[in-house]
Amino acid sequence: MDFPKPLQLSVDRTSPVPLYFQLSQQLEAAIEKGTLTPGSLLGNEIDLANRLGLSRPTVRQAIQALVDKGLLVRRRGVGTQVVHSQVKRPLELSSLYDDLEAAGQKPATTVLRNTFEPATAEVAAALGVPEGSDVHLVERLRYAHGEPMARLRNHLPTGLLPLDTEYLEGTGLYRLMRGAGITLHSARQTVGARAATAQEADLLTETEGAPLLTMERTTFDDTGRAVEFGSHIYRASRYSFEFQLLVRP
Amino acid sequence: MDFPKPLQLSVDRTSPVPLYFQLSQQLEAAIEKGTLTPGSLLGNEIDLANRLGLSRPTVRQAIQALVDKGLLVRRRGVGTQVVHSQVKRPLELSSLYDDLEAAGQKPATTVLRNTFEPATAEVAAALGVPEGSDVHLVERLRYAHGEPMARLRNHLPTGLLPLDTEYLEGTGLYRLMRGAGITLHSARQTVGARAATAQEADLLTETEGAPLLTMERTTFDDTGRAVEFGSHIYRASRYSFEFQLLVRP
DNA sequence: TAGTGGTCTAGACCACCCG
DNA sequence: GGGTGGTCTAGACCACTAG
């Protein structure tokens, strides 16, 4: 049996991009494009290394990155295969703004509140600050297609970053945070549902008692500091959470 | 400055367990126990390798595993630090049965239906089988604390595994699948909310129009085959999805 | 038995961060 | 400038799978 090998791989040793990463990207692109078809074998690591003038560990590192992404599966004694389609993104720290933008919906935002308030017990516990101490409160209404989609309420430690209302209406909160040099690391989320109150229904142009999706999220940076506590509500009639996940191997 | 080094590390070269894995587990245990405190530096990789009689790549592999888990953070020019707490589990392919059991709630299950049915367009698309061909249908009511919690409806390809009603009432579906030698690989989920119909409300002892959490999930094995399509409803008053996630580095 | 991935070694040079 | 992690090499032996 002969392998279809229209696979054009090469690395640029003058580039500052790591060799394993160059290879990894090329393989991913080939999978994406369909040049590497699902189920096909990748060819063994040694040959691949020789062909590219790389060492085997470097080639393995490239392949491992794609295995971690769920695009490839290794089988001892068999080889490395392309997974049969179906993998998209492994659940990111989703930003509603980015989600909507990716869907081509050019989201709009209205800032309802942008102030400081004393922390409630719940907020204080989430952010790890003393109860009653001032925290930043941002409340926004997010639109898509000119219709309200969600009410986003965020609490942040004071002094973490400047939050101009103008900026908040032009982009997402996470993007602002990353721009301020904050390295997001992990988050703990709870997703539930409940009925809309009269006030919430009014804000979201729903009827009282309509089902709402709720999400609470505490986000931490890489030093373990809580950088944001959000409690959001979404119109269940217009929005749902969608994500891909990989099973722990 | 002296490092607190009550850290007892060793590897057993006669063990079949990979050296990097032994080290990784010991480090994780030390973090779990608090011997390695959040924010503390791990000591540089070269020393660690020398101290254990390992090569640096092996030590790096052990550390990398914990970085991937979100327990450690590497900083070039600084060192490797223990993350300040907060990381629990990085979102697994959650089984309601396992979740409830972990919460000490000894879940009970009633099988409502366990039959074969022709696949609807939606089910056929999800499972990758011809529309109208027979698929396995399992419908269960899950209880916790003697109260109904969720109605779980699963469609599976025929012939994948035997699904005795008796087994289904004693454990979770994923556990049955793993026991049948199926390697779960990835899943695509959608979580939303809607109002309960009269029939659903009756089944779940809610009132008509009460908010329900909905989840649809297609699960794939490592060959890319769809092994299960589920569309479930949960009482929003009694249940919410909770998970930890890591930000793509 | 032949071929594959899984693990491991003992070096090397570089980029980055800090004092 | 000294120390850290980031990358890379050129080998080696083993465990598993297949035919």
Side-chain angles (χ1 to χ4, degrees):
Chain A
M1 160 152 47
D2 58 340
F3 293 154
K5 198 176 49 179
L7 198 47
Q8 204 74 359
L9 295 173
S10 64
V11 292
D12 173 8
R13 300 191 88 98
T14 70
S15 164
V17 178
L19 300 176
Y20 81 90
F21 194 76
Q22 291 183 38
L23 176 53
S24 176
Q25 280 189 317
Q26 287 178 48
L27 290 174
E28 185 168 1
I31 294 170
E32 185 75 23
K33 266 202 327 180
T35 311
L36 277 173
T37 59
S40 64
L41 287 170
L42 206 58
N44 77 58
E45 299 170 349
I46 316 264
D47 285 354
L48 200 52
N50 290 337
R51 202 158 20 116
L52 291 166
L54 296 174
S55 69
R56 186 183 168 206
T58 301
V59 170
R60 276 184 64 80
Q61 193 175 0
I63 292 175
Q64 188 58 47
L66 298 183
V67 171
D68 290 341
K69 278 195 180 184
L71 295 174
L72 297 176
V73 179
R74 293 206 235 233
R75 297 171 195 278
R76 196 190 297 221
V78 177
T80 303
Q81 285 179 308
V82 180
V83 164
H84 279 86
S85 65
Q86 291 306 347
V87 174
K88 294 197 174 171
R89 45 173 186 173
L91 179 56
E92 297 166 2
L93 183 55
S94 66
S95 150
L96 179 55
Y97 186 90
D98 292 342
D99 282 355
L100 293 174
E101 196 177 48
Q105 297 196 21
K106 42 183 173 180
T109 307
T110 303
V111 174
L112 303 176
R113 288 200 281 173
N114 185 2
T115 64
F116 293 88
E117 280 210 347
T120 63
E122 183 187 28
V123 170
L127 293 182
V129 300
E131 190 174 340
S133 68
D134 263 10
V135 293
H136 208 136
L137 166 63
V138 173
E139 200 171 295
R140 295 166 293 166
L141 195 59
R142 183 85 84 209
Y143 294 83
H145 293 134
E147 289 219 9
M149 198 81 160
R151 193 263 290 141
L152 309 174
R153 179 181 290 160
N154 296 89
H155 294 266
L156 299 90
T158 55
L160 190 67
L161 78 169
L163 286 172
D164 291 351
T165 294
E166 187 187 347
Y167 288 158
L168 284 167
E169 298 198 332
T171 185
L173 182 57
Y174 289 151
R175 210 176 287 183
L176 283 177
M177 284 189 174
R178 291 194 176 101
I182 296 171
T183 306
L184 270 24
H185 176 264
S186 65
R188 184 142 195 91
Q189 301 189 157
T190 303
V191 173
R194 61 174 172 79
T197 66
Q199 192 194 352
E200 290 165 345
D202 192 49
L203 194 63
L204 296 172
T205 67
E206 290 276 350
T207 58
E208 186 174 351
L212 297 178
L213 261 178
T214 66
M215 200 244 292
E216 294 201 345
R217 169 155 65 191
T218 309
T219 310
F220 303 90
D221 72 2
D222 60 1
T223 71
R225 198 175 38 161
V227 293
E228 177 252 342
F229 171 70
S231 43
H232 314 308
I233 56 177
Y234 304 79
R235 297 172 69 183
S237 58
R238 299 301 178 104
Y239 195 73
S240 57
F241 296 102
E242 188 169 336
F243 47 87
Q244 174 92 17
L245 61 87
L246 301 175
V247 177
R248 61 188 184 289
Chain B
M1 163 152 43
D2 59 342
F3 292 154
K5 196 176 54 181
L7 198 46
Q8 206 73 1
L9 295 173
S10 64
V11 292
D12 173 10
R13 301 192 87 99
T14 71
S15 163
V17 178
L19 300 177
Y20 82 89
F21 194 76
Q22 291 184 38
L23 176 54
S24 176
Q25 281 189 316
Q26 288 178 46
L27 290 174
E28 185 168 1
I31 294 170
E32 184 76 22
K33 265 202 328 180
T35 310
L36 277 174
T37 59
S40 64
L41 287 170
L42 206 58
N44 78 56
E45 299 170 348
I46 315 264
D47 285 354
L48 200 52
N50 289 339
R51 197 150 33 110
L52 291 167
L54 297 174
S55 69
R56 186 183 168 206
T58 301
V59 171
R60 276 184 65 80
Q61 193 175 0
I63 292 175
Q64 188 59 46
L66 298 184
V67 170
D68 291 341
K69 279 194 179 184
L71 295 174
L72 297 176
V73 179
R74 293 206 236 232
R75 297 172 193 277
R76 196 190 297 221
V78 177
T80 303
Q81 285 179 309
V82 180
V83 162
H84 279 86
S85 65
Q86 292 306 347
V87 173
K88 294 195 173 174
R89 45 174 185 171
L91 180 56
E92 297 167 3
L93 184 55
S94 67
S95 151
L96 179 56
Y97 186 89
D98 292 342
D99 282 354
L100 293 174
E101 197 178 48
Q105 298 197 18
K106 41 184 173 180
T109 307
T110 303
V111 174
L112 303 175
R113 287 199 282 174
N114 185 2
T115 64
F116 293 88
E117 280 211 346
T120 64
E122 183 187 28
V123 170
L127 294 181
V129 301
E131 189 174 341
S133 67
D134 264 9
V135 293
H136 208 137
L137 166 63
V138 174
E139 200 171 295
R140 294 165 294 165
L141 196 57
R142 182 86 85 208
Y143 294 83
H145 293 133
E147 288 219 7
M149 197 82 159
R151 193 263 290 142
L152 310 174
R153 179 181 291 159
N154 296 90
H155 294 266
L156 300 90
T158 56
L160 189 66
L161 78 170
L163 285 172
D164 291 352
T165 295
E166 187 188 347
Y167 289 156
L168 283 168
E169 299 198 330
T171 186
L173 182 58
Y174 289 151
R175 210 176 287 183
L176 283 176
M177 284 190 176
R178 292 195 175 101
I182 297 171
T183 305
L184 270 24
H185 175 264
S186 64
R188 183 144 195 92
Q189 301 189 156
T190 303
V191 174
R194 61 174 172 78
T197 66
Q199 191 194 353
E200 290 165 346
D202 192 49
L203 193 63
L204 296 172
T205 68
E206 290 276 351
T207 58
E208 186 174 351
L212 297 178
L213 259 179
T214 66
M215 199 244 292
E216 294 202 345
R217 170 154 66 190
T218 309
T219 309
F220 303 90
D221 73 2
D222 60 1
T223 71
R225 201 175 35 161
V227 293
E228 177 252 342
F229 171 69
S231 44
H232 313 309
I233 55 177
Y234 305 79
R235 297 172 68 184
S237 57
R238 300 302 179 104
Y239 194 73
S240 57
F241 296 102
E242 189 170 335
F243 47 87
Q244 175 91 18
L245 60 85
L246 300 175
V247 176
R248 61 187 183 288

